[in-house]
Amino acid sequence: MASTFKPTTIEEMETDNARLRETACAVCAETYEDRVKAQTPHCKFGEEGICCKNCSMGPCRITPKAPRGICGADAHAIAARNYVRSIAAGTSSHSDHAREILHVLKSSSPDGNYQVRDEVKLIKLATEWGVKTEGRDIYDIAHDVADVGLLEFGKPDGFQLFTRRATEERQKLWEKEGIQPRAIDREVVTAMHMTHMGNSSDAEALVRQGLRMSLANGWGGSMIGTEITDILFGTPTVWTTEGNLGVLEEDYVNVVVHGHDPAFSEMLVTACEDRELVEYARSKGAKGINVVGLCCTANEVAMRHGVRMAGNFLQQENVVLTGAVEMMCVDIQCIFPALATLTQCFHTKFITSSPIARIPGSEYVEFHPETAFQQAKDLVRAAIDNYQNRDQSKVYIPSTKQTATVGYPTEQIISHLDNVTNSHIEELGTYKPVIDAIRAGVLRGAVAIVGCNNPRVRPDYSHMEIMKELIANDILIVATGCAAQMATKAGLLNKESKILCGDGLKRVCELVDIPPVLHMGACVDISRMMLLATGIAKDWGVDITEIPVVGCAPEWMSEKAVSIANYVVSTGLDVYLGIEPQVTGSSQMMELITEGTRKITGAGYIINKDPHELVKSIIEGIEAKRTALGI
Ligand code: XCC
Ligand code: SF4
């Protein structure tokens, strides 16, 4: 049968967006577009990173007439300090999320709300961390593993345990350069200390601390978050699901989960499947309960339950604007405070659940592991009760959606590769087939596309252009976060999208039975990408900087993204950015982040706001790595 697949264009997405703006106008609601206008032009000092308010002699702003702050700090010192502080915030966010999950693991029990779903992974990790496993109860092991994980945050000596997973070359390099990450909290505190008034003004020293601290995220907090989440909720497997606003349903009770921490959303998803509650929804005139995800929470539940994804970061207001959402439940990170006022224009209940993300105007239901499932059921019941309050005159759900195959952690990638190499026993469990395809040139390389969307550029457009161009050039994409959701919306996670690929990648997709963009999860799961690149490098027998694999964040916006970009660079992979970091007011900082880090880690940023130029340089970068490898 001929494929009926058609990718969704940016224009189609923008048409849906425009139609929902009409709803916003009709209910007198403001959206981020209105606020972008009100904030334009942005403060130039902030934009360039040369405003300092680290002490009350300031704020000091650097101009040609006033090249130093009152204490004497220059543009380079100020921009570097601001930059390092954003890495500190990003590292803290991912890592504190991981710490929460560790506490959930610590509370797990056979008859409690949270259980161990992946015992094999738990045992593997216990063994890696030196926790005794023989003859022990699985929950005793789990609690000990949680304790070791929690110690990674504050241990007085030693380095992050997961750094031992890196290639030998990387570990040596980190040690030689003095950027081996110590306890996670220690690295953040050191960064905050260094940037306090009267401490470091040497931009290079600050950038080095940024690299070190970011490693405590990528090879610490984030990796812990991923591992423990897999242990608790299961290592993701391949699911076919759908994405974009069309996943909201007219005649169902729509519950949206949004944020990052799966401990909350897992319970809500389970509650939405509860037979009694589904019956209750039917008794209220709905056909059932439709739970959908937003942002990284969507990625988490899509990969573990096939839950459909309503969209990425800048789509959060659109979801409410459909008028068809009974309840929006959020946990942590990337939640617009604007949702509080926006939901008030509709019948939508806006539930916050974490002491980390308190938002005025929301209903706050603090979530506790001991009572989690009951709380989730109570919330879903309240959502059902709210169904009758939906105002049909305000409802408009765009029909746009795409089929998506999601759930490719490294374990799945390996098992897919094993399926195609079963004749070569020695290749089982390795990345050899990928390496062979890259060597042969069937695949030119791979790009990890990650990060947010951002109104500083045409939202989603940069992602779309870059992804299409890369797959057309036989470059495989692995994606996480809102980038993965953009790929979902565009249809690039549909296996049929192989028609957009070059001949080589198309063949690989057919042979391995994968879409050209592999969904690897949420943003904490960029740790999976680090392990993927490490695995390829190890099987290749080279260091990670040498393989034709790079990172790209075309539309990043958050401080988490700055931390990520730094640990990717520290891991030895170039990072292509479509948004400039806020350090442009310092020539020294611009040099440090693009070239300076190359002398330390072998990688750096390449920055270009034009997606077509950026993708051109990605392809050149990949080809240059190939040439250097002699392939
Ligand atoms: Fe947030 Fe993770 Fe960015 Fe999306 S990609 S806007 S950080 S949800 Ni992480
Ligand atoms: Fe100004 Fe220095 Fe204080 Fe910053 S730390 S506000 S540059 S005096």
Side-chain angles (χ1 to χ4, degrees):
M1 203 177 75
S3 162
T4 54
F5 168 75
K6 209 177 109 339
T8 302
T9 63
I10 192 81
E11 288 77 16
E12 284 165 326
M13 291 183 197
E14 287 171 349
T15 306
D16 288 344
N17 200 47
R19 171 60 187 78
L20 290 167
R21 290 296 152 282
E22 288 171 23
T23 306
C25 269
V27 300
C28 299
E30 150 196 292
T31 67
Y32 80 82
E33 283 103 327
D34 302 313
R35 296 186 296 271
V36 166
K37 273 191 204 125
Q39 286 293 341
T40 306
H42 291 275
C43 164
K44 199 168 155 289
F45 297 101
E47 196 162 54
E48 297 183 354
I50 47 173
C51 169
C52 179
K53 53 179 186 58
N54 290 9
C55 87
S56 79
M57 293 191 283
C60 300
R61 306 186 306 180
I62 301 303
T63 63
K65 262 173 54 199
R68 285 179 185 272
I70 292 166
C71 65
D74 61 12
H76 314 304
I78 292 174
R81 294 194 307 214
N82 290 336
Y83 181 70
V84 170
R85 284 194 167 202
S86 62
I87 302 172
T91 302
S92 303
S93 300
H94 280 150
S95 302
D96 209 35
H97 162 174
R99 177 163 19 208
E100 280 301 316
I101 294 283
L102 281 162
H103 282 295
V104 174
L105 181 66
K106 212 169 166 188
S107 78
S108 66
S109 66
D111 46 9
N113 283 303
Y114 295 95
Q115 275 115 36
V116 169
R117 295 253 176 81
D118 193 336
E119 291 189 11
V120 176
K121 203 161 206 169
L122 172 67
I123 300 291
K124 251 174 114 179
L125 182 58
T127 311
E128 182 178 345
W129 279 357
V131 172
K132 261 192 67 203
T133 57
E134 237 183 71
R136 295 188 70 201
D137 180 80
I138 201 80
Y139 285 90
D140 290 337
I141 300 171
H143 301 156
D144 283 358
V145 163
D147 279 336
V148 178
L150 287 165
L151 265 178
E152 288 298 275
F153 289 80
K155 59 185 181 189
D157 304 300
F159 303 100
Q160 285 301 298
L161 294 171
F162 280 147
T163 54
R164 295 189 206 137
R165 292 178 166 188
T167 59
E168 288 281 325
E169 294 92 329
R170 270 297 112 182
Q171 295 185 52
K172 284 204 191 108
L173 180 144
W174 291 337
E175 195 188 332
K176 180 176 127 265
E177 294 295 339
I179 57 170
Q180 247 183 329
R182 298 162 294 182
I184 300 163
D185 292 353
R186 171 80 193 269
E187 296 305 355
V188 173
V189 169
T190 297
M192 295 309 283
H193 189 181
M194 284 177 82
T195 54
H196 184 277
M197 190 272 150
N199 288 322
S200 289
S201 52
D202 176 22
E204 185 182 331
L206 287 159
V207 165
R208 276 180 182 271
Q209 177 55 23
L211 295 172
R212 185 176 209 180
M213 168 171 47
S214 72
L215 282 170
N217 175 3
W219 292 82
S222 280
M223 205 170 277
I224 295 172
T226 297
E227 291 276 331
I228 305 300
T229 303
D230 285 356
I231 289 170
L232 276 170
F233 305 116
T235 301
T237 49
V238 174
W239 291 83
T240 300
T241 178
E242 289 180 325
N244 212 348
L245 293 166
V247 303
L248 291 161
E249 302 284 354
E250 283 267 2
D251 27 24
Y252 280 71
V253 173
N254 288 307
V255 176
V256 181
V257 289
H258 173 19
H260 286 77
D261 183 347
F264 181 41
S265 47
E266 280 280 333
M267 287 296 133
L268 281 161
V269 168
T270 315
C272 286
E273 287 161 358
D274 184 272
R275 224 203 260 146
E276 231 171 87
L277 285 170
V278 174
E279 276 315 312
Y280 185 58
R282 292 198 179 124
S283 78
K284 295 285 174 177
K287 282 193 181 152
I289 309 166
N290 179 41
V291 60
V292 300
L294 259 175
C295 282
C296 278
T297 286
N299 294 320
E300 297 275 6
V301 290
M303 294 206 301
R304 294 198 180 84
H305 303 276
V307 168
R308 299 185 298 167
M309 301 171 278
N312 50 4
F313 179 60
L314 289 178
Q315 197 123 296
Q316 57 186 297
E317 290 178 318
N318 281 350
V319 166
V320 176
L321 285 167
T322 62
V325 174
E326 274 57 57
M327 186 178 277
M328 166 92 88
C329 295
V330 305
D331 49 82
I332 50 165
Q333 302 169 14
C334 300
I335 297 142
F336 273 9
L339 291 180
T341 33
L342 182 63
T343 48
Q344 274 151 26
C345 301
F346 297 87
H347 72 304
T348 310
K349 281 179 177 291
F350 178 41
I351 311 291
T352 45
S353 64
S354 166
I356 297 296
R358 298 294 308 266
I359 299 175
S362 67
E363 196 179 313
Y364 182 55
V365 180
E366 193 171 309
F367 221 57
H368 299 286
E370 315 79 58
T371 47
F373 190 51
Q374 189 54 49
Q375 286 182 294
K377 285 203 288 193
D378 293 345
L379 284 173
V380 174
R381 186 172 285 271
I384 297 168
D385 287 334
N386 196 23
Y387 180 66
Q388 62 184 22
N389 299 325
R390 196 191 283 184
D391 178 349
Q392 287 305 335
S393 72
K394 291 182 187 169
V395 175
Y396 173 78
I397 307 175
S399 60
T400 322
K401 62 179 175 184
Q402 285 278 1
T403 300
T405 305
V406 301
Y408 293 96
T410 50
E411 291 86 346
Q412 281 299 323
I413 294 176
I414 289 275
S415 90
H416 273 68
L417 294 174
D418 283 354
N419 282 343
V420 293
T421 54
N422 38 24
S423 52
H424 306 277
I425 294 293
E426 72 285 357
E427 292 192 355
L428 283 180
T430 72
Y431 293 103
K432 283 278 286 168
V434 181
I435 295 169
D436 289 345
I438 295 177
R439 277 216 178 101
V442 181
L443 272 187
R444 307 305 294 176
V447 181
I449 303 195
V450 304
C452 328
N453 51 2
N454 188 329
R456 279 197 169 249
V457 289
R458 188 176 170 189
D460 288 337
Y461 176 72
S462 298
H463 280 293
M464 173 101 80
E465 293 302 292
I466 290 171
M467 288 186 190
K468 281 198 187 155
E469 184 81 21
L470 289 176
I471 61 174
N473 280 283
D474 294 326
I475 295 169
L476 179 78
I477 296 172
V478 288
T480 56
C482 289
Q485 309 237 351
M486 153 48 224
T488 308
K489 293 195 289 182
L492 301 178
L493 298 188
N494 187 330
K495 287 183 190 165
E496 297 301 320
S497 68
K498 62 178 183 239
I499 55 169
L500 305 171
C501 301
D503 289 342
L505 178 56
K506 192 170 164 196
R507 260 202 353 252
V508 171
C509 289
E510 277 164 359
L511 203 66
V512 192
D513 189 30
I514 48 169
V517 179
L518 296 181
H519 182 293
M520 289 193 85
C523 300
V524 287
D525 296 330
I526 295 171
S527 62
R528 298 189 202 273
M529 294 172 162
M530 296 304 96
L531 294 176
L532 174 67
T534 300
I536 294 174
K538 280 184 179 171
D539 288 344
W540 199 310
V542 296
D543 186 27
I544 215 163
T545 33
E546 296 174 67
I547 58 174
V549 174
V550 301
C552 174
E555 304 185 27
W556 70 275
M557 63 85 202
S558 75
E559 289 171 313
K560 288 180 285 174
V562 187
S563 179
I564 294 166
N566 271 274
Y567 76 66
V568 176
V569 162
S570 303
T571 303
L573 301 171
D574 283 330
V575 174
Y576 293 76
L577 298 176
I579 306 277
E580 280 180 322
Q582 291 166 338
V583 297
T584 52
S586 158
S587 54
Q588 195 189 341
M589 274 305 286
M590 286 307 284
E591 200 279 333
L592 275 166
I593 60 175
T594 53
E595 292 306 321
T597 56
R598 276 174 209 285
K599 294 177 203 117
I600 307 169
T601 74
Y605 295 163
I606 294 91
I607 308 164
N608 202 318
K609 270 182 100 163
D610 179 333
H612 302 108
E613 302 265 320
L614 192 64
V615 74
K616 218 175 118 213
S617 52
I618 295 176
I619 295 171
E620 282 165 11
I622 283 185
E623 291 302 327
K625 298 240 177 210
R626 293 183 61 93
T627 310
L629 278 165
I631 53 173

